[in-house]
Amino acid sequence: MSSSTPDIIEFPCSGCGKKLRVGPEAAGKKARCPQCDNVQVVPTSSEANGTSQVVGEPPTEASPAPPAAEATPSGSLGDDLFASMDQPSVQPPAEQPPAQLTPEPEAPAQPLRPTSTTLQGHHADDSAFSETRDLFQRITDEISKIYVGQEELVLGTLVALFSGGHVLIESAPGLGKTLFVRTLGRVLGCNFGRVQFTADLMPSDITGAPFFDMKSNEFRFRPGPIFTQLLLADEINRSPAKTHAALLEVMQEFRVTIDGTSHKIDRPFLVMATQNPIESEGTYNLPEAQLDRFMFKLNLDYPSELEESEILKQHSQQVDINKRLDEELEVIASPAKIMEVTKQNGDVLIADKLIDYINQIVRLTRTWPQFHLGASPRAGITLMQGARTLAAFNGRDYAVPDDVVQIALPALRHRIVLSAEAEVEGHTADELLKELIRTIEVPRL
């Protein structure tokens, strides 16, 4: 006999076995376990000792839950990646949001995050591209040892890195972006650097410049901080346009030309440029042509209460961070391995129907009444490349519409310009892009 109160449904989590409790209105809907983030369908009655019964009524035969295969695919990472984007189902109508589960009073507090960032349930296929999926899991496992939370930053950066792109980050200061770049560089076996952009920063301060060597009596080239593999360009909008141009030329062509001589940049090469959304005094906004060169624009928020508590525990003991990076982290990959996986990701299949779906999204931004400027063809290329990489991270050798939808906002939000009327009415780019995507029929592959 269940010990629950009337009008409460009790059932065990299929992932960790924890007993969960919800109201009767959640019956038949999808719900997430607060302990292991497993998503399952809530039964129509309580389950006790292997049998099901409606609380407050005589025991009856258990009602089978709807098969999970017919529900909208969902996983812990699929829901967290670019969390500002609504996840429409591939098969309409859209599912109701997961019901909030009420844990038992004696249950332990919800952990900060899973031990590894997974894509379970999101069209995962263990048999295809398992090596890429395993590499992705190992990288995120190592990063989580030092860097707490911010799944959108971690995932968006990895998708961009393995797609040959760059990311623009808009966030308040103090969210650990420098720590993330250092951690990522250590785990991937890549060189990393950081440049603080200021109003008097010159192009040669980034790219390097020739100097006269008195011993050899000739000019020699001294490389600048751009000659690295993972570069954090902090507060990029504080420098003038000519400095932007020097950086963005390297991002596009992966080389620096000084005095007629070209110097190649080692691959992989990833630029993480940041902007402060609060302060605008003394800044130089990036024009649309330069914004278009970034694969994603990621909007970061402050960590949750549990994440911030974990940050305080980990990073307040006056322990040398260099020592922690060397002792606690394992080098998972190498520049050569990253380039190899990036090339393999290009072989992920994208069906013609999915190409048409991407093309419709991009072209519709150019005629949408509330957009003054729509997305360029480079946006479509970004969606194609990002969908392929995300599919490979899921262990698939084919892309699905959900992959496109997951990266649509980060790939498009900085490539469109709102009309004056839309800005006066208080609309945001993300809000209008969601509305636009919902008007396009999702293809059945």
Side-chain angles (χ1 to χ4, degrees):
M1 195 68 182
S2 175
S3 60
S4 62
T5 58
D7 298 330
I8 294 294
I9 298 177
E10 285 188 0
F11 62 99
C13 172
S14 60
C16 63
K18 175 181 176 178
K19 186 177 292 185
L20 306 172
R21 304 173 67 196
V22 297
E25 67 278 359
K29 298 180 181 178
K30 293 168 61 180
R32 187 192 313 279
C33 174
Q35 178 164 302
C36 66
D37 273 352
N38 179 60
V39 177
Q40 67 186 85
V41 177
V42 177
T44 56
S45 59
S46 296
E47 297 182 4
N49 300 326
T51 61
S52 301
Q53 64 179 24
V54 178
V55 178
E57 295 183 7
T60 58
E61 208 170 23
S63 300
E70 297 180 2
T72 301
S74 177
S76 60
L77 182 59
D79 295 331
D80 292 335
L81 175 62
F82 310 135
S84 59
M85 179 63 194
D86 290 338
Q87 301 268 346
S89 170
V90 174
Q91 298 182 358
E95 293 286 341
Q96 295 292 329
Q100 294 295 323
L101 302 180
T102 305
E104 296 238 320
E106 68 275 9
Q110 179 178 350
L112 176 65
R113 59 176 293 177
T115 54
S116 64
T117 307
T118 64
L119 292 166
Q120 294 176 354
H122 187 78
H123 299 282
D125 184 358
D126 294 330
S127 63
F129 275 47
S130 57
E131 184 179 353
T132 300
R133 187 183 185 191
D134 178 68
L135 176 65
F136 168 74
Q137 297 284 6
R138 293 169 60 200
I139 291 174
T140 53
D141 284 347
E142 289 298 313
I143 292 175
S144 64
K145 294 179 181 179
I146 299 291
Y147 191 72
V148 179
Q150 299 293 0
E151 282 84 3
E152 178 175 350
L153 173 62
V154 175
L155 231 18
T157 303
L158 288 177
V159 171
L161 175 64
F162 285 90
S163 302
H166 310 277
V167 293
L168 177 65
I169 304 168
E170 189 167 287
S171 72
L175 295 184
K177 297 180 290 294
T178 302
L179 175 62
F180 170 66
V181 174
R182 297 182 63 185
T183 304
L184 186 64
R186 168 66 179 171
V187 172
L188 297 179
C190 297
N191 298 324
F192 58 88
R194 177 182 178 275
V195 177
Q196 179 66 49
F197 281 67
T198 58
D200 58 350
L201 191 70
M202 301 297 292
S204 59
D205 296 331
I206 298 176
T207 61
F211 71 99
F212 187 74
D213 189 345
M214 299 291 292
K215 292 183 178 180
S216 61
N217 201 29
E218 62 182 3
F219 283 96
R220 297 176 54 190
F221 175 69
R222 175 177 294 166
I226 196 72
F227 286 85
T228 186
Q229 291 169 319
L230 304 178
L231 177 68
L232 177 62
D234 209 0
E235 295 188 295
I236 187 175
N237 56 335
R238 290 198 176 276
S239 62
K242 59 182 179 181
T243 307
H244 297 166
L247 174 64
L248 297 173
E249 176 187 2
V250 181
M251 292 167 53
Q252 184 70 20
E253 300 178 9
F254 302 105
R255 65 179 182 179
V256 177
T257 302
I258 304 293
D259 289 343
T261 303
S262 295
H263 306 271
K264 291 185 177 181
I265 301 291
D266 292 337
R267 304 285 300 273
F269 179 65
L270 171 73
V271 173
M272 293 175 53
T274 70
Q275 290 186 147
N276 189 335
I278 301 174
E279 298 180 8
S280 58
E281 184 176 353
T283 61
Y284 302 83
N285 291 332
L286 292 173
E288 285 69 26
Q290 294 180 350
L291 286 173
D292 200 37
R293 294 179 183 260
F294 289 95
M295 183 173 186
F296 294 141
K297 180 183 179 183
L298 307 177
N299 294 334
L300 303 189
D301 201 355
Y302 289 106
S304 67
E305 182 178 354
L306 290 176
E307 289 174 342
E308 194 159 1
S309 176
E310 185 67 20
I311 291 172
L312 297 178
K313 293 176 183 178
Q314 285 194 23
H315 301 283
S316 62
Q317 300 176 353
Q318 302 299 329
V319 179
D320 185 5
I321 188 63
N322 295 316
K323 183 178 180 181
R324 289 193 62 191
L325 290 173
D326 291 338
E327 296 180 354
E328 298 182 23
L329 296 183
E330 178 185 354
V331 178
I332 300 299
S334 65
K337 180 64 175 179
I338 295 172
M339 296 305 299
E340 177 187 349
V341 173
T342 301
K343 184 177 180 180
Q344 291 176 356
N345 292 345
D347 297 330
V348 173
L349 176 64
I350 294 188
D352 291 341
K353 291 183 179 179
L354 190 56
I355 295 177
D356 293 339
Y357 180 61
I358 294 173
N359 200 22
Q360 289 181 54
I361 293 176
V362 174
R363 294 184 65 85
L364 190 56
T365 62
R366 302 169 194 165
T367 58
W368 199 254
Q370 293 166 305
F371 291 162
H372 174 68
L373 178 68
S376 69
R378 187 183 279 134
I381 297 175
T382 292
L383 290 173
M384 295 274 288
Q385 293 174 335
R388 283 192 167 105
T389 302
L390 195 56
F393 285 170
N394 278 278
R396 286 181 277 105
D397 58 357
Y398 60 92
V400 295
D402 275 359
D403 297 325
V404 177
V405 171
Q406 277 190 293
I407 63 174
L409 285 189
L412 296 175
R413 61 165 62 109
H414 60 296
R415 290 185 163 96
I416 56 98
V417 178
L418 300 186
S419 65
E421 294 81 2
E423 291 184 352
V424 170
E425 293 171 0
H427 294 294
T428 64
D430 285 6
E431 169 194 343
L432 297 177
L433 284 171
K434 293 175 189 177
E435 181 182 341
L436 179 149
I437 293 173
R438 281 194 290 264
T439 63
I440 302 176
E441 183 180 357
V442 179
R444 296 179 180 273
L445 304 180

